[in-house]
Amino acid sequence: MSGSTAARSRVTLSNAVVRFAGDSGDGMQLAGDQFTSQSAIAGNDLATLPDFPAEIRAPAGTLAGVSSFQLHFSDQDIHTPGDAPDVLVAMNPAALMKHFGALKPGGTLIVNVDAFSDRNLQKAGYESNPLEDDSLTDYQVHEVRITDLTLRALEGHVERGELNKKEAERCKNMLALGLVSWMFHRPIAETEEWLTTKFAKVPEVADANITALRAGRNYGETTEAFTYTYEVKPAKLAPGRYRNITGNQALAYGLVAAAERAGLELFYGSYPITPASDILHELAKLKHYGVATFQAEDEIAAIGSVIGAAFGGSLAVTASSGPGIALKTEAMGLAMVMELPLIVVNVQRGGPSTGLPTKTEQSDLLQVLHGRNGEAPIPTVAASSPSDCFHAAIEAARIALTYRTPVVLLSDGYLANSAEPWLLPDVADLPDLSTSFAFTTEPNGPDGGFLPYLRDERTLARPWALPGTAGLEHRIGGLEKEDGSGHISYEPENHHAMTELRHERMQRIADQLPALEVDDPSGEAEVLLLGWGSTEGPIRAACHQLRERGTPVARVHLHHLNPLPNEVDELLRSYDTVICPENNMGQLSMLLRARTLVDVRPYTRVTGQPFSAAELVDAVDAAITEGAR
């Protein structure tokens, strides 16, 4: 039997899920990123799930140090990174131990057999070698000497002194990538160009990685171990120009677009924290768009700088995750009482306290809604997908500028780090935010005075007067204001009136929100799946699967969590069963129950991982079965 690609049976698939897993030093994120780029170039729709340890360098070969990257690519529209991999690349025993349980029955397992030493097996917790004890007989197992093949391919580089043996071994992720690229007929030319650019200052390293990449592809072509290769044809996506984008990248670009459409300079002040730090990294590259970035010494200093920037007339933004938001809380109340337009981004991660820094969760909802002293309502917007982070950033800016208030923008670790194709929008189609506000330039009070808390009748927004504008001098701070004049006031009646005014402003926002989009194609659904944030993808996929088999189900996704859309009450009462999946212990479910008195059923899981579509299908089935009793 010939080992050439031409002699193999090529199987056409509608979609495939591939997971790379290895030690955190094995370069799995890089391999996954490049396989994602290859699939995007091939025209597939895709979704990714990077997963890596929080430790900078966990002990090599242990479960704690395993890093993985999963890619779901398809010839049609998809919304999740896949429930389970069809192909698992395990670079060591720990990676196999941690991820084998997720592999689909009969799936393909590519194992770096060179790493299966007695010591590595022991560190991973194996009592016997799974490659020898028949525990993998139900799977298509390919034992590949990935480390040895890499070293043999790079013998010349080592002999010439360009690399030492350890440096050459680090290229094994590229050999694995080359093999998987061959299996799925992925182009590698762009990966070679990327390596050349990435290692431009050390061309010998670039050449070594390219050599290993080609060696992996050549191994696939020449070995007789692989009976099949696979092809996933391009997806039928809407015409236009696309690029791969992560949630943090999209959020950064959305902030820049919002500032451009508002005619303001963007000021971003933050303190580094996982998983929000990449927003700062991305914005720091965009100074040519009038972006000013400031890395503060701590979280409180970061939001203090943003309050100052908002007072000075910038579109001001800070970002953090749950622990940092806790530190910003008092200053968020200050921004609310001063009525300054700014954005606070919360890229949620597993908690409490330091919690799970590199894992995803939705457990900060109650924190951002109610985690301030006093009655301090702040509008809250939630992004629902990596590309939606772009539009959520613009919406947060619109609300902040229109109503002169801080706004919380919720993302999470899954959205921040995962990627999907993004159709580049036409700038002319983006909202014109310059009409959302106007700087006050003239006195507005009697006798030529200035009233810093005189309000717009429609929005209740106060004037935005820039420091240094003649005749508009005014005092500002955290003490209670007298409406209109802004003077400090301890009068009970005034405090009550100001509290009611702040809540009325939230109602004005609710009155002007776009109508909810309810997806109920049959009009006969009795079950409504209601979600927010990153649950949208799994919910969409679950609804698709349920409808394919004839089960009518409706779904709606909330992008505005404070205030909630006015029609939420009537919508929830129109379905027999409402299920709310959340990666927390039921925070939104509790709020909706309190507001609507509808028995919203929480479906919760707090594992640091996003939902799968299959488990949501099971949840709907269970609800239907229970309702039929």
Side-chain angles (χ1 to χ4, degrees), residues 101-232:
L103 187 62
K104 288 181 180 177
T108 299
L109 179 61
I110 299 174
V111 179
N112 179 18
V113 69
D114 292 325
F116 279 66
S117 64
D118 291 341
R119 177 170 173 75
N120 283 343
L121 289 165
Q122 184 179 16
K123 285 195 290 185
Y126 281 107
E127 295 182 359
S128 62
N129 191 335
L131 303 180
E132 300 173 355
D133 62 10
D134 298 329
S135 61
L136 306 178
T137 52
D138 293 334
Y139 300 86
Q140 301 178 48
V141 182
H142 298 281
E143 300 180 19
V144 182
R145 304 190 68 86
I146 293 177
T147 303
D148 180 63
L149 288 170
T150 302
L151 293 175
R152 286 163 56 188
L154 300 180
E155 280 179 348
H157 295 74
V158 175
E159 291 173 357
R160 291 191 296 270
E162 297 171 354
L163 303 171
N164 59 41
K165 184 178 179 181
K166 186 175 182 179
E167 291 169 335
E169 186 177 333
R170 287 177 185 157
C171 299
K172 62 181 180 289
N173 64 329
M174 287 296 103
L175 190 135
L177 174 61
L179 174 58
V180 177
S181 300
W182 168 82
M183 284 182 63
F184 286 94
H185 300 274
R186 305 287 86 174
I188 66 170
E190 287 76 12
T191 301
E192 293 180 358
E193 292 178 9
W194 179 85
L195 288 167
T196 300
T197 301
K198 179 176 177 61
F199 298 109
K201 295 183 179 180
V202 279
E204 61 275 11
V205 174
D207 184 59
N209 278 281
I210 292 170
T211 299
L213 179 71
R214 293 174 178 173
R217 182 192 59 186
N218 293 339
Y219 175 79
E221 289 180 344
T222 57
T223 184
E224 297 184 1
F226 292 84
T227 307
Y228 301 99
T229 62
Y230 305 93
E231 181 179 19
V232 178

Side-chain angles (χ1 to χ4, degrees), residues 512-518 565 567:
Q512 296 162 34
L513 291 178
L516 282 174
E517 297 181 8
V518 183
E567 64 264 43

Side-chain angles (χ1 to χ4, degrees), residues 238-437:
R241 185 179 181 185
Y242 287 81
R243 60 153 292 173
N244 265 0
I245 199 164
T246 66
N248 276 347
Q249 288 175 326
L251 203 153
Y253 300 158
L255 293 173
V256 175
E260 288 284 320
R261 296 297 286 169
L264 297 174
E265 291 187 352
L266 176 64
F267 177 87
Y268 184 86
S270 72
Y271 179 73
I273 185 171
T274 302
S277 297
D278 284 341
I279 302 172
L280 173 61
H281 302 160
E282 200 67 38
L283 288 173
K285 305 173 186 176
L286 303 175
K287 295 178 181 178
H288 52 292
Y289 286 108
V291 178
T293 55
F294 169 60
Q295 180 174 318
E297 66 269 29
D298 56 42
E299 296 282 6
I300 299 172
I303 193 167
S305 71
V306 167
I307 290 173
F311 183 62
S314 295
L315 178 60
V317 186
T318 187
S320 190
S321 191
I325 297 298
L327 293 168
K328 296 179 188 290
T329 295
E330 183 181 2
M332 290 170 66
L334 173 63
M336 191 281 304
V337 79
M338 292 197 304
E339 302 184 39
L340 288 173
L342 58 90
I343 300 171
V344 179
V345 179
N346 182 354
V347 187
Q348 301 166 94
R349 72 191 204 189
S353 188
T354 309
L356 307 172
T358 61
K359 310 303 179 184
T360 194
E361 207 162 285
Q362 292 181 292
S363 54
D364 293 351
L365 179 59
L366 294 181
Q367 179 191 31
V368 299
L369 294 186
H370 303 298
R372 290 169 295 283
N373 63 299
E375 294 285 340
I378 292 181
T380 302
V381 176
S384 61
S385 70
S387 60
D388 184 57
C389 288
F390 177 86
H391 300 286
I394 295 176
E395 174 64 1
R398 182 192 69 82
I399 294 174
L401 294 170
T402 302
Y403 299 93
R404 225 76 83 236
T405 177
V407 176
V408 173
L409 172 54
L410 286 172
S411 177
D412 61 43
Y414 166 54
L415 295 182
N417 295 313
S418 60
E420 66 180 0
W422 178 46
L423 176 61
L424 271 63
D426 188 331
V427 175
D429 294 335
L430 299 178
D432 181 3
L433 300 186
S434 65
T435 62
S436 300
F437 71 97

